[in-house]
Amino acid sequence: MMEELSLHILDIVENSINAKATKVDIEIDVDKRENLVIIKVTDNGKGMDDKTLENVRDPFFTTKTTRKVGLGVSFLDEIAELTGGSLDIESNLGIGTTIQLKLPFDHPDRPPLGDIISTLITLLATNPQVWIIYRETRNGKTWEFDSKEVEGLLGDYTWLGKIKEVLYNSYKEFTGGELI
Amino acid sequence: MKSLEDLKRIREQAQAQIRLRTQEANTKIIVGMGTCGIAAGARETLMAILDELAKRNIQDVVVTQTGCVGLCEYEPLVNVVKPGQPKITYMKVTPERARQIIASHIVNDQVINEWVLSTEEGV
């Protein structure tokens, strides 16, 4: 497994993009009272057939031809198992896929959320054609970013740097610097 | 710039001067962003590349990504493709290495042989 949940989120969204998604919704819900962190990624990619869906948690199953293991989803499954959380995957061919990871907030094996802004900037820089919506709720307060707001700026690295700065500042204001 | 609202203003101000990334750009930098690449630090490598390109105001470069190519032990992998030159694949590209690759290979046309995993002609 990876050090941060934000890296896993990047990995899941890369899967969505490889599945030809043009729109990806990332929702994070942190509810300390309910002791829950919920990560939900919904895409409009090509979806998975029943056989793929059945095998997607198996680390020795992959649709790739370059290697014989597929670790992305099985990492998430491992985190869910280690922490007593859950991983649900829904997929419909031609419609898309939704992955939902529910983890106990206070479990010591739950990875920290980590640097979500770097994940967003990575996605914006390398996939400017994909519409990304990120929504994070912490105890009722919501922070949202829609890539449509910066459409047209992503091909210029100087502007991308400015977008990064704005997002870091705005997100820090939302979190109050609290690392979770 | 403090809020997301400012992004909209930035966008309006920038419309006139922005140069959109096009496939005709001269040089491509391709970062391996499969699970193995991400686990090995590809996100930080990419952030360093973007930062270095911005600092040097380099615009005629396309930064893109690829999935796992089966060479997981050498990740993060970074390919540099310049027109008329072989495709160079750099291995174990840390953010520090990435910055040096921009300075040496992208800006000064000097391949850093020590970090090259493979060279592919005719790309």
Side-chain angles (χ1 to χ4, degrees):
Chain A
M1 102 175 62
M2 300 185 212
E3 286 172 12
E4 299 177 5
L5 289 172
S6 64
L7 290 170
H8 288 286
I9 292 168
L10 176 59
D11 191 35
I12 299 168
V13 179
E14 292 292 346
N15 285 346
S16 297
I17 292 165
N18 289 333
K20 312 284 180 220
T22 55
K23 181 172 184 255
V24 183
D25 277 90
I26 306 163
E27 287 176 71
I28 314 285
D29 195 345
V30 182
D31 192 332
K32 288 188 203 165
R33 273 176 301 186
E34 296 290 328
N35 193 30
L36 266 180
V37 177
I38 303 172
I39 295 171
K40 189 174 168 188
V41 177
T42 306
D43 72 46
N44 67 349
K46 63 183 179 185
M48 290 179 271
D49 58 27
D50 290 345
K51 190 185 168 235
T52 308
L53 193 55
E54 212 172 278
N55 290 301
V56 74
R57 294 160 199 256
D58 177 356
F60 297 103
F61 175 83
T62 179
T63 56
K64 307 285 192 313
T65 52
T66 54
R67 55 183 154 76
K68 290 181 177 159
V69 293
L71 294 175
V73 176
S74 46
F75 276 155
L76 297 182
D77 212 25
E78 190 192 353
I79 298 172
E81 199 172 311
L82 266 175
T83 58
S86 63
L87 175 67
D88 294 305
I89 306 168
E90 269 183 47
S91 192
N92 292 295
L93 269 182
I95 296 171
T97 300
T98 298
I99 290 192
Q100 183 169 263
L101 182 66
K102 281 188 181 178
L103 303 173
F105 178 82
D106 67 358
H107 198 286
D109 288 326
R110 175 186 65 81
L113 183 58
D115 187 355
I116 197 72
I117 303 299
S118 281
T119 285
L120 289 176
I121 293 293
T122 299
L123 291 168
L124 293 176
T126 54
N127 305 283
Q129 77 287 359
V130 179
W131 182 11
I132 307 244
I133 297 174
Y134 179 87
R135 197 177 297 109
E136 182 177 328
T137 304
R138 292 194 187 191
N139 301 309
K141 244 173 82 185
T142 300
W143 186 84
E144 193 172 319
F145 170 71
D146 183 333
S147 66
K148 291 268 186 204
E149 291 185 67
V150 293
E151 211 174 27
L153 291 176
L154 302 176
D156 183 304
Y157 301 112
T158 311
W159 282 104
L160 198 60
K162 290 179 183 177
I163 293 168
K164 185 172 86 174
E165 190 190 322
V166 167
L167 290 184
Y168 267 118
N169 288 338
S170 163
Y171 187 71
K172 198 175 170 191
E173 216 167 272
F174 163 70
T175 64
E178 181 195 27
L179 303 172
I180 58 161
Chain B
M1 288 175 295
K2 281 180 185 164
S3 76
L4 281 177
E5 281 300 306
D6 290 333
L7 286 178
K8 290 174 191 162
R9 268 200 299 278
I10 294 173
R11 183 183 174 186
E12 281 159 21
Q13 287 164 6
Q15 287 300 332
Q17 52 178 293
I18 200 83
R19 261 184 295 173
L20 287 178
R21 180 187 335 186
T22 66
Q23 291 307 311
E24 291 81 47
N26 290 327
T27 297
K28 279 186 185 172
I29 301 176
I30 307 156
V31 182
M33 204 61 76
T35 304
C36 49
I38 295 169
R43 185 184 68 180
E44 282 60 41
T45 299
L46 181 88
M47 295 299 281
I49 290 170
L50 296 175
D51 187 51
E52 205 59 35
L53 290 173
K55 270 188 197 162
R56 294 171 180 271
N57 197 23
I58 298 170
Q59 297 298 342
D60 60 340
V61 170
V62 174
V63 181
T64 180
Q65 54 148 64
T66 185
C68 170
V69 292
L71 298 164
C72 311
E73 65 270 40
Y74 298 108
E75 296 278 1
L77 291 171
V78 173
N79 300 310
V80 175
V81 187
K82 283 194 157 191
Q85 294 181 20
K87 176 173 95 175
I88 304 293
T89 301
Y90 288 103
M91 61 180 172
K92 298 185 178 178
V93 183
T94 59
E96 294 71 32
R97 284 189 177 188
R99 289 180 191 279
Q100 288 187 53
I101 289 166
I102 301 292
S104 180
H105 192 160
I106 301 296
V107 176
N108 291 317
D109 242 347
Q110 297 294 313
V111 175
I112 306 176
N113 290 311
E114 195 188 339
W115 306 333
V116 172
L117 177 67
S118 65
T119 303
E120 199 178 324
E121 297 284 347
V123 180

